[in-house]
Amino acid sequence: MRIEKTVGLIALTLILVGCGGSPKASYSEETGKVENPYILPKSEQLIALTNYFLKQELNPEKPFFPSQPEKPRDLAGTNLVKGKYEKTEDFEARVSRMKEDRVQTLRALEKKYAKDVKAYNAEVKRLTDNYNNTIATRQKNIKAITLQSMQKAYAVVYGTPYVKEGLTYDADSETFYGKVGSTKGGFEEKVSIKVPLDQAQAFEKARASLDTNVIFDYVDGKLKLQKIDVKYAQKSYVAVLSDVNFKSENMSVAINEGSLQLPAAPILSASFATNTTEYDVGQIVYSKDPEVARLQKIKFELEQKERAKKRTEKEREAAEQKRAALEAQIALLEQKKGGEDDISKLLADSSSHAVDNTKWLFAIAIENYEYTDPVAYSTNSAKQFKAVMKKRLGIPEKNIRMLVNRDATTGKISHDLNDLVSHVKAGDTIYFYYSGHGIPVPAQENAPYLLAQDMSPAYVADDERFKMQTIYMSLSKSKASKVVAFVDSCFSGGNDNQALVKGVAATRLKPKSVTFDKQKMLVISAGSGTQYSNKYDEKSNRLFSYYVMRGLIKNNADTQRLYDYVKSNVQEKSYEMGSSYEQVPVFDGNIGLEL
């Protein structure tokens, strides 16, 4: 948490200027204090500084290019005059030699200029590539850079965090209770720290020298306190907050109003895949399967928090939704897997299409949701779909944006869709694929919404970027000449013959129709009206996605033939499942488009 004084003073200048750009306070070198009653609150200082450091990291200094090589000037002409006592043949020989000398000189100048240009271009390319690679690397590591920026900002605004005197220890629960403060004040949190009985006495004696770190996260446009990490004897202890107010009130200031598109952080930062001892908490023994264990641990901690804290109705409802979703995902993981997925074998026996740089694919698939039930086999179907589209339609990897499960957050979906659309040119084709929950919003005449991984069905209407109307219009208004969408989702309020929308158990909702450019765009959906979208256990896939992929492999090159193939097979297979599983794919838009 230590940074150089010069960095602190530079950052402090940003705080003193404030949001409007005019000075609001002064810094006294003599007293080392800020002298102005109108300085920004510390929470806003933290936001401003985080943004400042983040911009510094994400915008490295541009390279200094060398001077362009100077183009050689034409040689001045020379007038030769025949001498009074010079024979004609000697004069002509002299002219010929002068011409040859001039040609050789010009060629030497051209050769040198070409060499200089080549060297200049190589250096410019090297500098440009290095700069672009630096930008790309930092964008890729945006989460780590954001965290580092927050840590720097905290050091300037609050100073160094430390565990305050007055620790109390409950031997029965092996837990310390105390407070974490900061050297510059303005930060104090009540915490509890689990420390084994045999280490407790030494831990308390070392209190003053404990390495304490306050770690923030950036979620939904706000800074939130993620955890306080206390290190002792090369081991980390998480200081659990016993007062949640700081999370939701003190830090709710957005950075630059949407200038960042960061995914929500996972609930746990630790991995349970390598250390089985972390599966055990007291008498709770988790599954041996790492993914199941991770979800069980989250569920257990949610139950602990529910018992330990008083929550608002909205927080309690969100926790209940998350716990129910986790239980459903655990059940899905522990059940027997479905039948044999034969898509890979069928694809291996099919022919490859030449790479076509005019084709683009934007794919979203969410099997495990944070706040609701899973969508079985969505992950597998999405991965197989991508492979089929690459081989059968020739879509290059660089033209594919694919978001699966935790990557399919509100921030990433919005950012990647805008990024893809911005790169598409006239004459190009966009293919859109979605496998996940679709939510009709009764308050908006059942307008259909796409449900991102970190969205709750109860609050999906809070963000109209995920209304299907918005998404389809974004695609159809792009520069692309053709848009073909495959939507493996129903918008009737359920999935796999199970109701999803609260209060819609016995009936199903009919989604509102969506408008878009129906000359250049075609949407083929998994089901019609109030029907549900089904899984296909026999093939470990979504039913609709499975027959779309088989149809593409079977060389159904135009959309009419592909749709007819998918509709007949999905309809027949759903009838075999039972009358309540009836599923008839539908299309909307230009069915005459070529794939």
Side-chain angles (χ1 to χ4, degrees):
M1 298 286 292
R2 297 183 180 88
I3 60 175
E4 297 296 329
K5 181 179 179 182
T6 53
V7 176
L9 290 176
I10 291 170
L12 185 59
T13 301
L14 179 68
I15 298 173
L16 303 184
V17 169
C19 299
S22 57
K24 292 187 177 181
S26 60
Y27 176 75
S28 171
E29 291 281 0
E30 184 177 340
T31 64
K33 296 180 179 179
V34 176
E35 299 174 343
N36 193 304
Y38 300 106
I39 188 170
L40 293 171
K42 282 183 177 287
S43 59
E44 293 186 33
Q45 292 177 30
L46 182 63
I47 299 294
L49 273 177
T50 298
N51 196 30
Y52 172 78
F53 288 131
L54 190 59
K55 283 185 177 179
Q56 280 190 323
E57 287 296 319
L58 294 180
N59 295 284
E61 186 177 353
K62 291 184 178 180
F64 180 76
F65 294 117
S67 299
Q68 293 185 12
E70 187 175 350
K71 189 175 182 180
R73 298 177 181 177
D74 289 336
L75 295 177
T78 302
N79 291 322
L80 296 181
V81 179
K82 181 176 176 297
K84 182 176 181 180
Y85 303 103
E86 185 179 21
K87 291 184 177 181
T88 300
E89 60 181 324
D90 292 337
F91 174 69
E92 290 176 348
R94 183 158 64 92
V95 170
S96 180
R97 287 194 301 273
M98 288 293 290
K99 287 182 177 179
E100 183 63 27
D101 289 345
R102 181 181 175 86
V103 169
Q104 292 300 324
T105 301
L106 288 172
R107 286 178 179 172
L109 289 172
E110 289 175 353
K111 187 174 181 180
K112 181 180 182 304
Y113 179 65
K115 182 179 179 181
D116 290 346
V117 169
K118 184 177 180 181
Y120 171 81
N121 288 340
E123 179 64 7
V124 169
K125 184 178 185 302
R126 184 187 70 81
L127 292 171
T128 303
D129 288 348
N130 287 345
Y131 178 76
N132 290 336
N133 288 338
T134 299
I135 293 290
T137 300
R138 295 186 183 184
Q139 288 290 344
K140 184 177 180 180
N141 298 321
I142 183 69
K143 290 183 72 174
I145 292 173
T146 302
L147 178 59
Q148 292 168 4
S149 300
M150 292 174 187
Q151 300 300 90
K152 278 187 179 182
Y154 182 94
V156 174
V157 176
Y158 292 106
T160 304
Y162 66 95
V163 178
K164 305 184 80 170
E165 294 182 11
L167 283 176
T168 58
Y169 189 69
D170 180 2
D172 291 332
S173 64
E174 299 187 355
T175 303
F176 274 109
Y177 293 92
K179 295 179 180 179
V180 170
S182 59
T183 56
K184 293 184 180 180
F187 179 92
E188 183 176 279
E189 288 296 323
K190 295 178 181 179
V191 298
S192 62
I193 310 172
K194 295 277 289 186
V195 178
L197 193 63
D198 59 350
Q199 301 173 24
Q201 188 173 1
F203 183 93
E204 185 171 13
K205 285 183 178 179
R207 179 202 60 78
S209 60
L210 293 172
D211 183 10
T212 306
N213 287 282
V214 177
I215 300 172
F216 295 92
D217 203 354
Y218 183 82
V219 181
D220 297 334
K222 300 176 182 178
L223 276 183
K224 293 186 179 180
L225 182 61
Q226 185 189 58
K227 66 177 181 179
I228 299 175
D229 185 58
V230 179
K231 291 183 179 178
Y232 168 67
Q234 298 183 332
K235 185 175 180 181
S236 292
Y237 300 85
V238 176
V240 179
L241 294 175
S242 57
D243 181 359
V244 299
N245 290 335
F246 181 84
K247 289 185 183 179
S248 58
E249 295 178 6
N250 292 355
M251 307 308 298
S252 57
V253 183
I255 296 179
N256 268 5
E257 287 195 317
S259 61
L260 297 175
Q261 297 288 341
L262 301 182
I267 298 172
L268 295 179
S269 58
S271 170
F272 299 98
T274 57
N275 185 358
T276 56
T277 61
E278 290 183 336
Y279 297 166
D280 302 334
V281 178
Q283 299 300 312
I284 304 299
V285 180
Y286 295 119
S287 168
K288 292 181 180 180
D289 184 296
E291 178 66 9
V292 176
R294 183 184 68 78
L295 295 172
Q296 286 177 327
K297 183 171 176 63
I298 298 172
K299 176 175 175 285
F300 175 68
E301 289 179 347
L302 285 170
E303 290 170 342
Q304 279 190 317
K305 289 180 181 179
E306 183 69 21
R307 287 191 296 268
K309 300 174 183 177
K310 291 182 178 180
R311 298 186 173 194
T312 65
E313 284 301 317
K314 188 172 182 179
E315 288 172 330
R316 190 176 294 109
E317 183 180 350
E320 183 59 37
Q321 288 179 340
K322 186 178 292 186
R323 182 162 54 248
L326 290 167
E327 287 175 344
Q329 289 173 31
I330 291 169
L332 180 64
L333 287 167
E334 290 187 327
Q335 74 180 11
K336 290 183 179 180
K337 295 297 181 183
E340 180 185 359
D341 175 9
D342 57 1
I343 291 294
S344 296
K345 183 179 182 304
L346 293 170
L347 184 61
D349 295 336
S350 66
S351 59
S352 298
H353 191 289
V355 173
D356 189 342
N357 289 312
T358 67
K359 293 180 178 179
W360 301 76
L361 171 62
F362 187 77
I364 307 167
I366 308 165
E367 183 163 339
N368 297 320
Y369 278 89
E370 188 170 350
Y371 292 101
T372 192
D373 295 345
V375 180
Y377 310 125
S378 276
T379 301
N380 183 50
S381 288
K383 291 178 179 178
Q384 298 279 30
F385 185 82
K386 175 184 174 182
V388 170
M389 296 296 278
K390 285 183 68 174
K391 184 172 184 179
R392 298 296 291 134
L393 297 184
I395 304 176
E397 181 68 33
K398 66 182 180 67
N399 287 5
I400 297 176
R401 308 289 186 275
M402 183 167 174
L403 301 173
V404 176
N405 288 329
R406 287 189 180 183
D407 285 335
T409 59
T410 52
K412 275 207 165 186
I413 292 173
S414 179
H415 174 271
D416 285 14
L417 179 58
N418 290 336
D419 177 65
L420 181 140
V421 169
S422 70
H423 285 84
V424 170
K425 301 180 182 65
D428 290 357
T429 301
I430 298 176
Y431 298 93
F432 176 81
Y433 173 81
Y434 174 63
S435 177
H437 285 309
I439 306 295
V441 176
Q444 298 181 16
E445 299 179 1
N446 297 335
Y449 278 73
L450 176 156
L451 187 66
Q453 193 272 342
D454 55 342
M455 272 183 167
S456 166
Y459 307 110
V460 66
D462 290 349
D463 195 337
E464 292 208 351
R465 290 178 301 172
F466 300 95
K467 183 184 283 190
M468 297 309 293
Q469 173 74 48
T470 304
I471 293 172
Y472 288 172
M473 288 303 293
S474 175
L475 292 169
S476 65
K477 285 184 176 180
S478 69
K479 293 180 181 178
S481 297
K482 291 188 293 184
V483 180
V484 181
F486 300 97
V487 182
D488 197 343
S489 175
C490 64
F491 296 91
S492 58
N495 204 67
D496 291 332
N497 210 30
Q498 296 293 321
L500 181 66
V501 178
K502 189 174 181 181
V504 185
T507 61
R508 305 181 186 185
L509 301 175
K510 184 176 181 180
K512 182 180 180 181
S513 60
V514 179
T515 60
F516 52 87
D517 185 343
K518 297 187 179 181
Q519 283 299 112
K520 66 182 287 186
M521 184 171 176
L522 169 68
V523 178
I524 302 179
S525 302
S528 60
T530 60
Q531 294 175 348
Y532 289 157
S533 171
N534 295 304
K535 60 182 178 177
Y536 191 9
D537 284 321
E538 294 175 28
K539 299 296 183 181
S540 295
N541 266 291
R542 301 301 300 171
L543 180 62
F544 172 75
S545 292
Y546 177 79
Y547 281 107
V548 168
M549 291 186 283
R550 284 203 64 142
L552 290 167
I553 292 171
K554 285 179 172 291
N555 200 30
N556 289 306
D558 65 74
T559 53
Q560 179 70 66
R561 284 178 55 192
L562 177 62
Y563 168 71
D564 290 342
Y565 173 84
V566 173
K567 177 186 176 184
S568 62
N569 282 278
V570 169
Q571 186 173 9
E572 181 180 351
K573 185 56 63 176
S574 68
Y575 284 162
E576 293 176 10
M577 295 178 179
S579 59
S580 64
Y581 291 87
E582 181 181 4
Q583 181 180 344
V584 183
V586 295
F587 75 85
D588 192 12
N590 190 354
I591 195 63
L593 294 178
E594 290 290 325
L595 287 173

